[in-house]
Amino acid sequence: CSAGNSGPSGATVANSAPWVATVGAGTLDRDFPAYVTLPTGARLAGVSLYAGPSPSPRPAMLPLVYGGGGDNASRLCLPGTLDPAAVRGKIVLCDRGVNARVEKGAVVKAAGGAGMVLANTAASGEELVADSHLLPAVAVGKLAGDKIREYASRRAAGGAGAPMAILSFGGTVLGVRPSPVVAAFSSRGPNTVVPEILKPDMIGPGVNILAGWSGVAGPTGLVKDGRRTHFNIISGTSMSCPHISGVAALLKAAHPEWSPAAIKSALMTTAYTVDNTNSSLRDAAGGLLATPFAFGAGHVDPQKALSPGLLYDISTKDYVSFLCSLNYTTPHIQVITKMSNITCPRKFRPGDLNYPSFSVVFKKKSKHVMRFRREVTNVGPAMSVYNVKVSGPASVSVKVTPAKLVFNKVGQKQRYYVIFASTVDASNAKPDFGWISWMSSQHVVRSPIAYTWKI
């Protein structure tokens, strides 16, 4: 299931039930460059799907308008806010946010604008999303957007003549670095429904995805878009989710005996958290390092998922126990599970579910200890030996018992226990993260850990 497109704000993740794979979105190493050139000589890079002629004959420039309606709403290019007399035949600078990106382009075109620059704000940072706009348009990140805004406002206020710009388009480029990057729009944890389950679970390709298009609607999806095409480029967790669904189908074909939980475990424990520059995954919203609240276990690696080494499996009985731990009534659980006989265990916490990740929620006190149990199944070779490696913040001590797992045969199961001890005052603690990795000569089985403190 899609994680949602309400990022980069925290606690926005949707579809957080533990029996589904919750998928966030990342970028590809493919881009569609376009440029905004100013009379100052600045050539600011962005993206565009437009492949036609420039809206003005080269090298001539067109006037640039920012706030073509005299108020802040017109800077957002909301419907009905642009004055046709002010924007006709000009390039209109629109701030990203509030209404849909493609709607802004429709608003500009309806007012007679010749082109559009769609500039990010702090909420979307440097994330660049290409759309099939109704007119020539270039989307730019916050830094480039701020430069264009500053130029347009200064030029207009200084009485030195109208601001000017030219839009140009560069087609398609490959090998973009860094990639993948977590999409700013991708919804984030923590999980507000059940904080003891870390969500999202993973990310996949979800930005500027080329795929077949039914033709029922135009490429913008707007009613007024009369264009029809067999293909389109769309961004969203509704694009990353089908990627992971396809990989899950691949794993099921290769391992028909694996349960859905086993397949999800393979996807999560083999996911990667470094980009193509060998640096930790970054967040498009601010350019800083991303966390498991944004990418879960990491970006899915289909090849490695075929041979994960160990699996965290979950049975129907385990899910029933999980529902019991949330204080659902027996009739409620019967409706969800379609099972007539429901037996709830006396002791079971939501975090006791045999999940491939950990979400440790410490209580409000200076020192708090949490204990977890996990069971792994060997799907690698017989006589495999795994040693544990733990990484994380100094604010939490972690003890794993046993520290070594020896599997004599394929299909053998082994349990291990983890004690997490908080060593900080909850009132001063902020969410933090770590990893538990089981390492053999052939496999690395990684589980992310999210630490939060109730205050």
Side-chain angles (χ1 to χ4, degrees):
C1 293
S2 300
N5 302 326
S6 299
S9 298
T12 53
V13 64
N15 295 317
S16 55
W19 46 82
V20 301
T22 307
V23 184
T27 64
L28 292 167
D29 64 347
R30 178 183 62 201
D31 209 353
F32 308 96
Y35 307 92
V36 180
T37 303
L38 305 177
T40 61
R43 188 171 186 256
L44 304 168
V47 300
S48 179
L49 296 184
Y50 183 74
S54 170
S56 65
R58 296 179 183 179
M61 291 189 172
L62 285 178
L64 174 69
V65 178
Y66 183 43
D71 56 18
N72 288 332
S74 65
R75 293 187 173 190
L76 286 162
C77 299
L78 301 180
T81 63
L82 296 181
D83 180 4
V87 305
R88 186 175 292 112
K90 301 175 182 177
I91 296 171
V92 181
L93 174 61
C94 302
D95 290 338
R96 184 172 168 182
V98 183
N99 61 331
R101 300 182 302 271
V102 291
E103 185 180 55
K104 296 177 189 292
V107 170
V108 172
K109 184 176 182 180
M116 178 179 68
V117 177
L118 180 59
N120 283 2
T121 60
S124 45
E126 297 307 305
E127 172 187 76
L128 295 178
V129 179
D131 298 296
S132 300
H133 288 288
L134 292 166
L135 78 174
V138 176
V140 297
K142 180 182 181 299
L143 294 177
D146 287 345
K147 292 179 180 179
I148 301 171
R149 280 184 279 258
E150 191 275 333
Y151 159 75
S153 300
R154 174 172 46 83
R155 184 75 177 263
M164 305 289 287
I166 187 169
L167 308 183
S168 56
F169 308 93
T172 303
V173 298
L174 302 175
V176 174
R177 297 162 69 91
S179 63
V181 174
V182 179
F185 62 74
S186 188
S187 289
R188 315 300 170 92
N191 181 349
T192 58
V193 181
V194 185
E196 294 84 357
I197 301 295
L198 177 60
K199 291 286 182 171
D201 292 308
M202 63 198 82
I203 63 171
V207 178
N208 298 336
I209 302 303
L210 172 66
W213 189 251
S214 71
V216 171
T220 62
L222 298 172
V223 174
K224 62 185 70 177
D225 189 354
R227 300 172 298 173
R228 292 297 181 264
T229 178
H230 294 298
F231 294 91
N232 198 6
I233 289 178
I234 296 291
S235 297
T237 54
S238 290
M239 295 293 100
S240 55
C241 183
H243 277 86
I244 307 310
S245 300
V247 178
L250 172 68
L251 295 188
K252 187 64 175 177
H255 303 284
E257 74 282 6
W258 284 7
S259 69
I263 291 172
K264 182 167 69 171
S265 172
L267 293 170
M268 291 174 64
T269 61
T270 59
Y272 59 88
T273 58
V274 295
D275 59 30
N276 57 2
T277 69
N278 206 32
S279 300
S280 297
L281 292 179
R282 294 194 170 271
D283 193 325
L288 300 176
L289 296 181
T291 73
F293 279 163
F295 58 66
H299 192 288
V300 166
D301 185 327
Q303 190 68 35
K304 287 188 176 180
L306 285 167
S307 178
L310 302 176
L311 293 175
Y312 293 80
D313 209 352
I314 304 175
S315 68
T316 302
K317 181 180 177 181
D318 296 329
Y319 287 126
V320 171
S321 298
F322 169 80
L323 292 171
C324 291
S325 73
L326 300 181
N327 297 320
Y328 284 102
T329 65
T330 297
H332 284 152
I333 298 175
Q334 289 173 331
V335 168
I336 295 171
T337 63
K338 305 296 189 292
M339 297 169 62
S340 57
N341 296 321
I342 300 295
T343 302
C344 287
R346 272 191 273 179
K347 291 184 178 181
F348 194 95
R349 302 167 305 158
D352 291 333
L353 195 66
N354 196 42
Y355 216 69
S357 59
F358 295 84
S359 180
V360 183
V361 183
F362 291 111
K363 293 181 179 178
K364 185 181 178 181
K365 52 186 179 181
S366 58
K367 291 187 179 180
H368 185 214
V369 175
M370 296 286 289
R371 294 174 174 84
F372 290 79
R373 181 186 71 185
R374 291 291 190 268
E375 181 180 81
V376 289
T377 304
N378 179 37
V379 292
M383 304 309 297
S384 293
V385 178
Y386 287 84
N387 292 287
V388 73
K389 178 182 178 182
V390 178
S391 60
S395 56
V396 180
S397 68
V398 183
K399 182 179 180 181
V400 180
T401 307
K404 177 186 289 188
L405 298 176
V406 180
F407 296 90
N408 297 317
K409 57 183 180 180
V410 179
Q412 183 180 352
K413 299 179 183 294
Q414 294 263 26
R415 287 182 177 176
Y416 70 91
Y417 302 83
V418 190
I419 297 177
F420 300 100
S422 171
T423 60
V424 297
D425 183 352
S427 61
N428 298 322
K430 296 181 179 179
D432 219 328
F433 307 92
W435 299 86
I436 289 179
S437 302
W438 289 99
M439 308 176 71
S440 73
S441 59
Q442 298 183 34
H443 297 96
V444 176
V445 186
R446 292 211 323 163
S447 295
I449 314 165
Y451 300 107
T452 53
W453 284 260
K454 289 183 178 180
I455 56 175

